[in-house]
């Protein structure tokens, strides 16, 4: 009895041995103690040891049933493990919708730019017609009148006097428009630019006409023909060659209007700083207008000086024909009420049978 272990009673499961796959596994406190010893003695490799089966397919079947199947490409429309359903072409549909939205936005921007460009061209064309309309109404002094007003000045001194006075007048116009824009009002900015360009153009047209008188190069023809010649000189920024008279119909047909629109557009862009607020635009406008008028006058003067006719060699010229409704060039920039059409007078086209603002 002492050399033999007594068998444990059958009714105590905590002391029974369990055979699993050829390996004895004890349950109860002793089994837990042995399990902890095996865990401490087994090196931790980070891998789960595969269970050993003693060639019993029935024993391997439960483990195989618990092993997840390898990942495979989900069939279209099949639910994934999280429950989401893969819809065929969903990503392509979203990309197409984004492309459509972007294309519509680009088309809207392009149409807006086209409308703005058309409006700008229409405004420039209307302003060109306005300058063509006021050109014959600018009063011009002939040579005899100038010599009576400045009896002690020669041709060059008289030209200097005229240029200085015109530069001061355009500087005043620029300062006045800049002062009007002291508190910027966006709807009024196009009218302010149009008034400044029209007023400066009238002053410079008067200067160009009187410089031609000083240098003895009066263009031949009627009042309207001379006005077209002076307008061509202002547009091209050069003196007139009186040996090549310009036809009124040809000049007003295509080339002059195109060049006039280009000159107006250039003046408009150049005058944009005059609209700066807080009287900064007034100072900028005065300086820029004085500089531009002086530069234009010197270019025209250099062409006229090369073809000048001395006063002693001039034939007796008749007095210049004066316009029936002359305008004051500086009056183009004065503040006036809005017309019945809602446009400023500088932008309103004259209608047949309707008096213009200068006539009233």
């Amino acid at each position: 009895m002492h050399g033999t272990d007594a068998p444990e009673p059958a009714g105590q499961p905590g002391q029974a041995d369990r055979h699993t796959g050829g390996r004895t596994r004890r349950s109860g406190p002793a089994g837990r103690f042995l399990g902890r010893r095996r865990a401490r003695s087994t090196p931790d490799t980070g891998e789960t040891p595969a269970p050993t089966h003693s060639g019993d397919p029935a024993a391997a079947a439960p483990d195989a049933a618990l092993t997840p199947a390898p990942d495979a490409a989900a069939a279209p429309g099949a639910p994934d493990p999280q429950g989401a359903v893969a819809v065929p072409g969903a990503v392509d549909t979203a990309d197409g919708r984004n492309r459509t939205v972007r294309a519509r936005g680009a088309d809207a921007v392009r149409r807006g730019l086209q409308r703005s460009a058309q409006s700008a061209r229409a405004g420039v064309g209307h302003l060109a017609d306005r300058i063509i309309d006021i050109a014959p109404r600018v009063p011009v002094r002939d040579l005899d009148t100038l010599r009576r007003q400045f009896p002690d000045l020669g041709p060059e001194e008289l030209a200097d006097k005229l240029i200085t006075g015109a530069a001061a007048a355009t500087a005043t116009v620029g300062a006045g428009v800049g002062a009007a824009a002291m508190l910027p009002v966006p709807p009024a900015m196009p009218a302010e630019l149009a008034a400044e360009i029209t007023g400066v153009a009238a002053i410079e047209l008067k200067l160009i006409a009187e410089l031609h008188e000083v240098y003895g190069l009066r263009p031949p023809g009627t009042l309207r023909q001379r006005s077209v010649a002076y307008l061509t000189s202002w547009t091209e920024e050069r003196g007139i060659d009186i040996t090549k008279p310009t036809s009124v119909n040809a000049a007003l047909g295509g080339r002059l209007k195109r060049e006039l629109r280009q000159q107006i557009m250039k003046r408009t862009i150049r005058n944009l700083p005059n609209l700066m607020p807080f009287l900064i635009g007034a100072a900028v406008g005065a300086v820029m207008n004085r500089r531009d008028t002086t530069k234009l006058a010197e270019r025209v003067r250099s062409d006229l000086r090369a073809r000048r006719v001395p006063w002693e060699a001039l034939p007796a010229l008749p007095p210049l024909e004066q316009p029936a409704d002359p305008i004051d060039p500086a009056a183009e920039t004065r503040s006036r009420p809005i017309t019945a059409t809602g446009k400023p007078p500088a932008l309103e086209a004259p209608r047949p049978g309707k008096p213009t603002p200068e006539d009233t």
Side-chain angles (χ1 to χ4, degrees):
M1 296 292 293
H2 291 283
T4 308
D5 294 337
E8 294 183 356
Q12 299 179 5
Q15 301 296 328
D17 293 339
R18 294 180 182 178
H19 297 273
T20 305
R23 195 158 131 193
T24 304
R25 186 177 295 177
R26 298 175 73 80
S27 61
R32 288 195 295 272
F33 173 74
L34 290 176
R36 284 194 295 270
R37 287 191 62 182
R38 289 194 194 100
R40 284 196 296 268
S41 61
T42 302
D44 187 10
T45 58
E47 298 179 357
T48 304
T52 19
H53 304 286
S54 53
D56 187 5
D63 293 341
L66 295 175
T67 305
D71 293 338
D80 61 1
Q82 286 76 21
V85 179
V87 180
V91 178
D92 296 340
T93 304
D95 291 342
R97 188 181 301 110
N98 292 337
R99 285 194 296 268
T100 303
V101 171
R102 288 195 294 268
R104 289 178 179 175
D107 290 341
V109 172
R110 183 164 50 251
R111 288 194 298 268
L113 292 176
Q114 290 175 355
R115 285 194 296 266
S116 300
Q118 292 173 359
S119 300
R121 284 195 295 267
V124 170
H126 187 78
L127 194 55
D129 294 338
R130 175 68 178 170
I131 293 177
I132 292 174
D133 179 64
I134 68 172
R137 303 172 57 191
V138 176
V140 179
R141 294 170 291 184
D142 56 18
L143 180 58
D144 293 338
T145 304
L146 291 172
R147 294 185 69 177
R148 285 196 302 268
Q149 291 182 358
F150 307 100
D152 300 331
L153 300 181
E156 295 299 328
E157 293 81 4
L158 184 54
D160 291 336
K161 187 78 172 177
L162 296 177
I163 293 174
T164 302
T170 56
T172 303
V173 171
V177 172
M182 179 178 62
L183 297 177
V185 180
M189 288 181 178
E192 293 169 353
L193 284 175
E196 180 178 7
I197 292 172
T198 307
V200 170
I203 294 172
E204 291 177 349
L205 285 172
K206 179 181 177 68
L207 171 64
I208 289 173
E210 292 179 351
L211 285 177
H212 281 80
E213 289 290 322
V214 169
Y215 287 102
L217 297 173
R218 178 190 297 181
T222 62
L223 173 63
R224 182 169 177 79
Q225 290 173 336
R226 288 195 304 271
S227 300
V228 171
Y230 299 144
L231 192 58
T232 303
S233 178
W234 180 78
T235 302
E236 299 178 356
E237 298 185 356
R238 62 177 180 83
I240 299 171
D241 188 358
I242 60 175
T243 62
K244 300 177 181 179
T246 304
S247 170
V248 175
N249 296 331
L252 295 180
R255 179 182 174 184
L256 178 60
K257 282 191 174 182
R258 182 173 61 253
E259 293 177 350
L260 183 58
R261 285 194 294 266
Q262 294 174 356
Q263 179 75 356
I264 292 172
M265 181 62 71
K266 182 173 67 174
R267 292 289 184 106
T268 302
I269 297 174
R270 198 162 53 194
N271 291 346
L272 287 177
N274 300 1
L275 301 178
M276 297 175 66
F278 307 119
L279 295 180
I280 299 176
V284 173
V287 172
M288 292 184 63
N289 283 1
R290 182 186 297 273
R291 182 199 63 187
D292 294 342
T293 300
T294 304
K295 186 185 301 184
L296 170 68
E298 291 299 334
R299 288 179 182 176
V300 174
R301 183 181 185 181
S302 62
D303 288 343
L304 297 177
R305 187 185 288 124
R307 300 189 297 267
R308 61 174 295 184
V309 178
W311 288 350
E312 297 78 11
L314 280 175
L317 296 175
L320 280 176
E321 179 185 357
Q322 295 299 318
D325 51 348
I327 63 170
D328 181 9
E332 288 298 314
T333 57
R334 292 175 185 167
S335 176
R336 296 179 184 177
I338 301 298
T339 58
T341 60
K343 296 181 180 179
L347 293 178
E348 186 183 19
R351 299 179 183 178
K354 177 184 177 181
T356 58
E358 288 81 8
D359 296 333
T360 56

